[in-house]
Amino acid sequence: MTTAFYEHLQAELAGIREAGLYKTERLIASPQGATVRLADGRELINLCANNYLGLSSHPDVVEAAHEALRTHGYGLSSVRFICGTQDLHKQLEARISGFLGTEDTILYAAAFDANGGLFEPLLQEQDAVISDELNHASIIDGIRLCKAKRFRYKHNDMADLERCLQEARAAAARFTMVFTDGVFSMDGTIAQLDKIRALCDQYGALLGVDECHASGFMGKRGRGTHEERGVFGKIDIITGTLGKALGGASGGFTSGRKEVIELLRQRSRPYLFSNTVAPSIVGASIKVLDLLEASTALRDKLEVNTRYFRAAIQEAGFEIKPGTHPIVPIMVYDAALAQKLSARLLELGVYAVGFFFPVVPKGQARIRTQMSAGLDRHHLEKAVAAFKQAGTELGILK
Ligand SMILES: *Cc1c(COP(=O)(O)O)cnc(C)c1O
């Protein structure tokens, strides 16, 4: 019986390989940064980390982590409500609320948990949740765990969102919550939060936003998509991660009105039944907010890098998804060609990964590059030159 089970898994794995969907992990032997050194010694310009602000190995952030280790220990060996809440955790929660313009914040081990534990405590059978069809997997899973009626609108389509709001109203939903990614990670699309907010107001709906690809750098002060779209202070619920721009270690949060956060502390299962965030991460995250509140230099540099790279890669002859986000998808369309391009770039010293079905729609394969404030102009020039060479060799560029 058990033999059959393991044979079944072997067949599944073989199927994944045959479909060309098998994911391998490259071994990195250096800290995360503008460049990384692989375990085989190769040094690569890194265009595929979520290290938007270059803080993953920032000396002040690393030092703050060391300091918290010294003053608050390695771990708490507890969930928050038993004996896992230190002064540092409360400080970070207050600082995140201040940064995002909300009343209160609750920390989670990951943003995946923040989204996974959000909907079930807040919404019941008589309620409705409306979700963009391209929302992150953790939002989809979180919604699955709650009993509210579910509606899905076409990606970024305001008319279709309104159809859902009407359907929720027709279904006599008690409370309706619209939930969207602030920024969608495959295309770098920035949600139209101003329009979504207006529709939510018109229909009396709550608005929640996942800010994982936005917190720290979107908007003039880097507060997020709500700042970028002119609705700062007007979002009911914000979820986000400490594992991307805000230092890149791990940890997530939900932020919003104090009664929302209070109820999540009572009922949210990933919070109640999972260990507290390690003090070193909490201390370092406070330092990240110190840096970002003191100066916008990093998000400004990221913006300059993004503008430069978007222009230069198009100048070189590549087609990109238009926009302004540091996610810059370079369109190849053909999955095999995207893999070849990524492999050749690696040989030329540039780390950039190909994305193809099922991560993106069939025939929409691309190299997804991501800009970072850690990158300097010479890195970007070298990267564009490598793209140009590889693109020419592979016949992508004429
Ligand atoms: C990365 C990401 C998450 C998960 O964040 P973790 O903190 O790594 O769990 C959730 N939502 C979105 C939109 C993301 O991009």
Side-chain angles (χ1 to χ4, degrees), residues 194-237:
D194 46 345
K195 295 190 182 144
I196 299 176
R197 180 72 269 178
L199 278 170
C200 286
D201 288 347
Q202 192 184 328
Y203 286 85
L206 298 152
L207 173 55
V209 183
D210 177 334
E211 285 282 87
C212 284
H213 287 281
S215 294
F217 58 95
M218 294 299 288
K220 283 291 162 222
R221 295 174 305 153
R223 304 308 166 92
T225 314
H226 57 342
E227 185 182 35
E228 174 87 13
R229 293 295 196 203
V231 289
F232 186 81
K234 296 184 180 152
I235 306 299
D236 293 288
I237 294 172

Side-chain angles (χ1 to χ4, degrees), residues 50 109-113 115 135-139 181-185 210-213 239-244 249-252:
N50 299 308
F112 205 105
D113 290 332
N115 287 330
N135 274 346
H136 190 263
S138 56
I139 301 170
D181 279 17
V183 171
F184 292 84
S185 63
D210 177 334
E211 285 282 87
C212 284
H213 287 281
T239 61
T241 184
L242 303 171
K244 290 185 174 122
S250 65

Side-chain angles (χ1 to χ4, degrees), residues 32-343:
Q32 186 67 275
T35 60
V36 287
R37 185 170 28 81
L38 297 186
D40 64 14
R42 276 183 290 176
E43 185 98 13
L44 304 171
I45 295 170
N46 190 2
L47 298 186
C48 54
N50 299 308
N51 185 19
Y52 293 112
L53 295 172
L55 292 173
S56 305
S57 309
H58 189 289
D60 294 357
V61 176
V62 172
E63 177 48 33
H66 278 293
E67 180 61 15
L69 256 180
R70 281 189 290 268
T71 57
H72 287 72
Y74 172 64
L76 270 295
S77 308
S78 171
V79 299
R80 287 286 297 275
F81 79 93
I82 299 179
C83 54
T85 301
Q86 292 172 320
D87 49 359
L88 280 183
H89 294 86
K90 297 312 288 181
Q91 283 165 27
L92 177 58
E93 288 173 344
R95 291 292 301 277
I96 291 173
S97 308
F99 189 78
L100 298 176
T102 55
E103 283 183 6
D104 199 3
T105 297
I106 174 174
L107 296 177
Y108 286 86
F112 205 105
D113 290 332
N115 287 330
L118 178 69
F119 300 94
E120 189 253 346
L122 299 180
L123 301 173
Q124 321 301 328
E125 287 95 330
Q126 57 272 47
D127 302 321
V129 59
I130 301 177
S131 179
D132 185 295
E133 67 180 351
L134 291 192
N135 274 346
H136 190 263
S138 56
I139 301 170
I140 295 168
D141 286 7
I143 291 174
R144 274 189 194 140
L145 292 171
C146 88
K147 296 199 176 73
K149 296 174 194 71
R150 300 170 206 164
F151 301 89
R152 222 161 55 136
Y153 61 99
K154 290 203 198 85
H155 174 53
N156 202 26
D157 182 332
M158 296 301 102
D160 205 40
L161 168 58
E162 183 156 23
R163 173 192 60 80
C164 291
L165 285 160
Q166 284 164 351
E167 284 182 19
R169 181 179 275 178
R174 178 184 58 171
F175 306 123
T176 297
M177 185 191 293
V178 174
F179 206 93
T180 179
D181 279 17
V183 171
F184 292 84
S185 63
M186 285 306 135
D187 291 355
T189 304
I190 303 164
Q192 306 173 70
L193 291 188
D194 46 345
K195 295 190 182 144
I196 299 176
R197 180 72 269 178
L199 278 170
C200 286
D201 288 347
Q202 192 184 328
Y203 286 85
L206 298 152
L207 173 55
V209 183
D210 177 334
E211 285 282 87
C212 284
H213 287 281
S215 294
F217 58 95
M218 294 299 288
K220 283 291 162 222
R221 295 174 305 153
R223 304 308 166 92
T225 314
H226 57 342
E227 185 182 35
E228 174 87 13
R229 293 295 196 203
V231 289
F232 186 81
K234 296 184 180 152
I235 306 299
D236 293 288
I237 294 172
I238 295 173
T239 61
T241 184
L242 303 171
K244 290 185 174 122
L246 301 179
S250 65
F253 55 82
T254 298
S255 201
R257 285 276 291 268
K258 60 182 182 329
E259 44 276 71
V260 168
I261 304 310
E262 197 175 342
L263 189 70
L264 292 175
R265 284 194 209 281
Q266 300 304 313
R267 296 254 175 89
S268 182
R269 292 163 67 84
Y271 182 80
L272 291 171
F273 298 104
S274 187
N275 203 38
T276 189
V277 181
S280 54
I281 292 176
V282 176
S285 300
I286 292 170
K287 174 57 74 178
V288 166
L289 294 178
D290 288 344
L291 293 171
L292 300 187
E293 286 177 357
S295 161
T296 60
L298 291 173
R299 58 90 44 219
D300 296 345
K301 184 176 177 196
L302 174 62
E303 191 174 315
V304 169
N305 280 351
T306 299
R307 220 180 291 128
Y308 171 80
F309 187 73
R310 280 181 172 271
I313 202 77
Q314 283 177 289
E315 180 98 336
F318 285 94
E319 184 191 336
I320 63 173
K321 287 269 178 193
T324 54
H325 196 270
I327 292 170
V328 186
I330 298 169
M331 301 309 294
V332 180
Y333 299 103
D334 180 71
L337 196 54
Q339 277 174 294
K340 277 187 206 150
L341 178 56
S342 155

